């Protein structure tokens, strides 16, 4: 690798790390942001609105891919991802300055959501530009290796955001970090404000880059596209490749990635009741140990092909998610595993009074006793089933054959709470739940076992994600490459992947099984493995300078 090639990779990757850092800050601090910007609503509703605002950034990513992909194919790669990083960085910095609802009322959440939409649009254009730029500089036979450095950026961005948050929390203290109710300042603003430094470094580095040689040659020869959207999506020969890239590549890759890095974090915190500090450290260690494998699998794909590695990652993940997450429960919260195995919980009610608990966007309010009883059990990580009683009968919770009345949803659940606790179900903070007292407390068997299992999930992520950029670049011709590759990537990752945590938790709540949410990634990863195997072409030997 020459000095110039190293600079291209470092400049492209570093800027993308900072961009992912900006994007993940919001997700990591959604609870605090909900309290600051949606304080006019009850606590549960605040969290819902905060998560919906986070989801908005994912939903607009494909639109950013279309907008900036078109610009990148007409104007050029370099200037397009300069624009995207400016939008992303400034939006994040403004979140750090933005007054909360206590200061400016309803304007605060409106501005916040607008900034989230800008971040999502910018991220939709950033990845395609960076991946295309690096691939068009890479020599034939090494594109998987070169672009794999871009693939590390999302993980490194998440890792960097976790480090800055943990450092700031330690420095300010938990109370000062969250900020007092009604007050403007809180330590949570520091990670957002720090992003302006990262933005300055990124822009300075990227200004020193030249345009991609493949794109510049095409433009000099007058062969660039004047209507990349039409050529990319209205032409069936290319549109078919876009669909195959989505269904046979990025859809499965997206759900495997978000399961390994995000759902695993939320699963430990929300279901296994692991404290936030420990859960973040466990994920951070697994990322630190596993990130280098993005490059390993990217380089390996230059030798044996993109398809075998990506599809093997999807298939192995689909076959092993259930046992791995069960082993995480065994080691992270052994009391919960024992309670699930030893306790039979049944909600018995008139079927007319029981609705559907599937609520991925979190906006529904349950009032019927049957629904509130089941929702309470799901929030307590209790495995339950539903049986139907006689018409007009009341609701009761049967725990190991003992009836526990549940006469009034508004009266709370003291009897059920006591019965669940007596059956052995642990609550947050109980002894036995995995806990780390400092970042280097990794040699206790319980901690090491959880990190090892999370590391395996990260390996799956590196298998499906490491070669994907090279494959997407090689699928499409130069004049519409930026546009064509960006859309399936951001639908696969922004929609199928980004909506995974909320949908998976909704499945858990509606079924009463803490592992049922895993069917979401298993089904989509399996579809990708089948579609990709039969229909997706191998691309490693494509000469992109001639397309």
């Amino acid at each position: 690798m020459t000095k110039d090639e190293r600079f291209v990779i470092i400049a492209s990757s570093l800027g993308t790390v900072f961009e992912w850092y900006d994007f993940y800050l919001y997700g990591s601090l959604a609870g605090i942001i909900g309290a600051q910007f949606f304080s006019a609503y009850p606590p549960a509703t605040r969290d819902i609105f905060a998560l919906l605002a986070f989801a908005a950034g994912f939903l607009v990513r494909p639109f950013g891919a279309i907008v900036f992909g078109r610009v990148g194919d007409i104007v050029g790669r370099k200037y397009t991802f300069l624009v995207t990083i400016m939008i992303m960085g400034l939006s994040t910095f403004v979140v750090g300055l933005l007054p909360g609802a206590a200061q400016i009322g309803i304007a605060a959440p409106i501005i916040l959501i607008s900034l989230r939409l800008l971040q999502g649009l910018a991220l939709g254009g950033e990845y395609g530009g960076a991946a295309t730029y690096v691939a068009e500089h890479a020599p034939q036979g090494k594109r998987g290796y070169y672009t794999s450095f871009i693939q590390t950026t999302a993980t490194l961005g998440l890792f960097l955001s976790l480090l800055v948050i943990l450092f700031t929390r330690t420095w300010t203290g938990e109370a000062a970090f969250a900020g007092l109710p009604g007050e403007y300042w809180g330590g949570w603003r520091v990670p957002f404000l720090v992003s302006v430094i990262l933005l300055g470094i990124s822009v300075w580095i990227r200004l020193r880059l030249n345009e991609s040689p493949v794109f510049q040659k095409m433009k000099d020869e007058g062969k660039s596209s004047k209507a990349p959207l039409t050529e990319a999506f209205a032409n069936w020969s290319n549109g078919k490749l876009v669909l195959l890239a989505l269904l046979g590549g990025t859809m499965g890759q997206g759900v495997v990635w978000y399961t390994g890095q995000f759902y695993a974090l939320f699963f430990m915190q929300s279901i296994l009741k692991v404290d936030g500090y420990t859960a973040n450290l466990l994920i951070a260690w697994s990322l630190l140990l596993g990130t280098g494998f993005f490059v390993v699998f990217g380089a390996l794909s230059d030798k044996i092909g993109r398809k075998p590695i990506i599809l093997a990652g999807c298939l192995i993940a689909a076959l092993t998610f259930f046992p791995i997450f069960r082993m995480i429960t065994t080691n992270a919260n052994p009391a919960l595993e024992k309670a699930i195995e030893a306790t039979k919980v049944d909600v018995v009610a008139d079927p007319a009074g029981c609705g559907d608990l599937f609520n991925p966007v979190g906006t529904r309010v349950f009032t019927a006793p049957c629904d509130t009883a089941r929702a309470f059990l799901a929030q307590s990580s209790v495995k339950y089933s539903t049986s139907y009683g006689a018409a007009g009968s009341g609701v009761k919770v049967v725990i190991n054959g003992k009836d526990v009345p549940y006469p009034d949803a508004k009266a709370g659940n003291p009897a059920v709470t006591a019965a669940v606790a007596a059956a052995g179900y642990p609550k947050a903070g109980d002894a036995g739940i995995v806990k780390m007292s400092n970042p280097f407390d990794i040699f206790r068997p319980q901690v090491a076992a959880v990190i090892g299992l999370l590391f395996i999930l990260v390996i799956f992520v590196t298998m499906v994600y490491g070669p994907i950029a090279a494959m997407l670049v090689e699928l499409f011709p130069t004049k519409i490459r930026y546009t064509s590759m960006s859309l399936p990537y951001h639908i696969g990752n922004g929609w199928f992947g980004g909506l995974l945590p909320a949908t998976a938790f909704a499945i858990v709540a509606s079924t009463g099984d803490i592992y049922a949410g895993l069917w979401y990634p298993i089904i989509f990863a399996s579809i990708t493995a089948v579609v990709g195997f039969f229909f997706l072409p191998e691309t490693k030997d494509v000469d992109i300078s001639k397309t």
Side-chain angles (χ1 to χ4, degrees):
M1 191 182 295
T2 67
K3 180 180 178 182
D4 288 342
E5 288 170 341
R6 281 197 299 271
F7 180 73
V8 164
I9 291 173
I10 291 171
S12 302
S13 301
L14 195 59
T16 311
V17 167
F18 295 159
E19 196 142 13
W20 282 110
Y21 164 88
D22 291 348
F23 195 76
Y24 289 141
L25 278 182
Y26 185 97
S28 300
L29 300 174
I32 293 174
I33 288 172
Q36 290 289 330
F37 293 95
F38 301 99
S39 57
Y41 303 96
T45 309
R46 290 178 205 164
D47 293 342
I48 290 168
F49 284 154
L51 290 173
L52 287 176
F54 182 53
F58 287 102
L59 293 175
V60 299
R61 278 169 58 178
F63 301 102
I66 292 172
V67 171
F68 291 108
R70 179 180 182 276
V71 175
D73 281 329
I74 293 174
V75 178
R77 294 28 170 150
K78 170 188 172 180
Y79 295 104
T80 304
F81 67 29
L82 266 174
V83 171
T84 59
I85 202 167
M86 287 289 292
I87 294 173
M88 189 80 183
L90 291 175
S91 298
T92 305
F93 180 67
V94 172
V95 170
L97 297 175
L98 182 63
Q103 287 78 44
I104 59 175
I106 191 65
I110 291 174
I111 297 172
L112 177 70
I113 291 172
S114 300
L115 292 170
R116 284 294 303 154
L117 294 174
L118 284 174
Q119 286 181 318
L121 287 170
L123 191 55
E126 166 66 21
Y127 174 83
T132 301
Y133 187 82
V134 171
E136 291 179 347
H137 277 84
Q140 183 71 13
K142 291 190 176 181
R143 274 190 300 274
Y145 173 60
Y146 278 47
T147 58
S148 66
F149 289 94
I150 292 291
Q151 303 309 93
T152 68
T153 59
T155 299
L156 291 174
L158 171 61
F159 185 72
L160 181 61
S161 69
L162 292 176
L163 284 183
V164 173
I165 290 169
L166 287 170
F167 174 80
T168 308
R169 270 191 152 124
T170 304
W171 173 50
T172 63
E174 200 62 36
F177 183 82
L180 296 175
E183 288 194 0
Y184 169 78
W185 179 254
W188 66 271
R189 294 183 180 274
V190 172
F192 287 93
L193 297 175
V194 165
S195 69
V196 77
I197 300 173
L198 309 181
L199 172 63
I201 295 171
S202 299
V203 172
W204 174 71
I205 289 175
R206 287 192 173 184
L207 282 171
R208 298 173 58 194
L209 294 173
N210 297 315
E211 184 52 84
S212 151
V214 174
F215 178 84
Q216 191 62 54
K217 178 176 179 291
M218 179 194 68
K219 196 169 184 179
D220 291 342
E221 294 173 351
K223 296 178 181 179
S224 58
S225 174
K226 293 181 172 57
L229 292 180
T230 302
E231 292 190 44
F233 307 122
N235 182 330
W236 173 240
S237 63
N238 195 76
K240 179 177 67 175
L241 288 176
V242 172
L243 280 175
L244 286 177
L246 171 62
L247 301 177
T250 61
M251 181 176 71
Q253 169 258 303
V255 297
V256 171
W257 177 23
Y258 277 79
T259 301
Q261 291 190 184
F262 295 101
Y263 186 65
L265 174 62
F266 299 147
F267 180 84
M268 287 192 295
Q269 290 179 293
S270 298
I271 294 177
L272 303 186
K273 311 303 179 186
V274 178
D275 68 275
Y277 179 81
T278 298
N280 280 303
L281 279 178
L282 292 169
I283 291 291
W285 270 110
S286 69
L287 296 178
L288 184 64
L289 294 171
T291 296
F293 285 88
F294 286 109
V295 179
V296 171
F297 287 114
L300 183 62
S301 75
D302 288 327
K303 307 295 183 184
I304 67 173
R306 324 301 183 199
K307 271 182 61 172
I309 298 172
I310 295 171
L311 301 185
C314 287
L315 185 59
I316 295 170
L319 293 173
T320 59
F321 274 156
F322 275 124
I324 288 174
F325 274 82
R326 287 194 174 99
M327 285 189 284
I328 290 174
T329 302
T330 300
N331 289 280
N333 193 339
L336 176 61
E337 182 186 48
K338 290 179 182 177
I340 289 173
E341 292 175 351
T343 308
K344 178 175 174 54
V345 180
D346 198 20
V347 178
V348 183
D350 176 359
C354 292
D356 179 12
L357 293 187
F358 188 67
N359 186 26
V361 296
T363 54
R364 295 169 58 197
V365 177
F366 302 109
T367 57
C370 176
D371 295 341
T372 57
R374 292 182 298 156
F376 169 75
L377 292 171
Q379 291 167 2
S380 303
S381 304
V382 175
K383 183 178 182 179
Y384 71 87
S385 58
T386 303
S387 298
Y388 295 128
S393 61
V395 177
K396 62 181 179 180
V397 179
V398 182
I399 301 179
N400 284 339
K402 181 180 179 181
D403 291 358
V404 181
Y406 192 86
D408 185 357
K410 297 180 181 178
N413 311 289
V416 176
T417 301
V420 165
Y425 272 93
K427 62 182 184 300
D430 280 359
I433 299 176
V434 67
K435 187 174 181 61
M436 296 180 70
S437 57
N438 64 75
F440 303 102
D441 187 16
I442 60 174
F443 297 106
R444 288 188 291 114
Q446 188 183 22
V447 174
V450 176
I451 292 175
L453 292 164
L454 294 173
F455 169 73
I456 294 172
L457 294 178
V458 173
I459 292 298
F460 297 159
V461 174
T462 61
M463 289 180 70
V464 299
Y465 199 54
I468 199 79
M471 187 199 78
L472 290 172
V473 168
E474 292 159 350
L475 271 176
F476 303 105
T478 302
K479 63 180 181 177
I480 53 172
R481 179 171 293 137
Y482 199 149
T483 304
S484 298
M485 71 164 288
S486 294
L487 186 63
Y489 174 82
H490 286 292
I491 291 177
N493 288 273
W495 290 3
F496 286 97
L499 298 178
L500 184 150
T503 306
F505 278 125
I507 295 171
V508 168
S510 62
T511 61
D513 182 350
I514 67 171
Y515 302 111
L518 293 171
W519 282 113
Y520 179 105
I522 287 171
I523 289 171
F524 287 117
S526 300
I527 292 172
T528 289
V530 173
V531 173
F533 180 80
F534 287 106
F535 302 107
L536 193 67
E538 179 54 67
T539 62
K540 79 178 181 70
D541 295 322
V542 172
D543 185 352
I544 65 172
S545 66
K546 297 178 181 178
T547 60

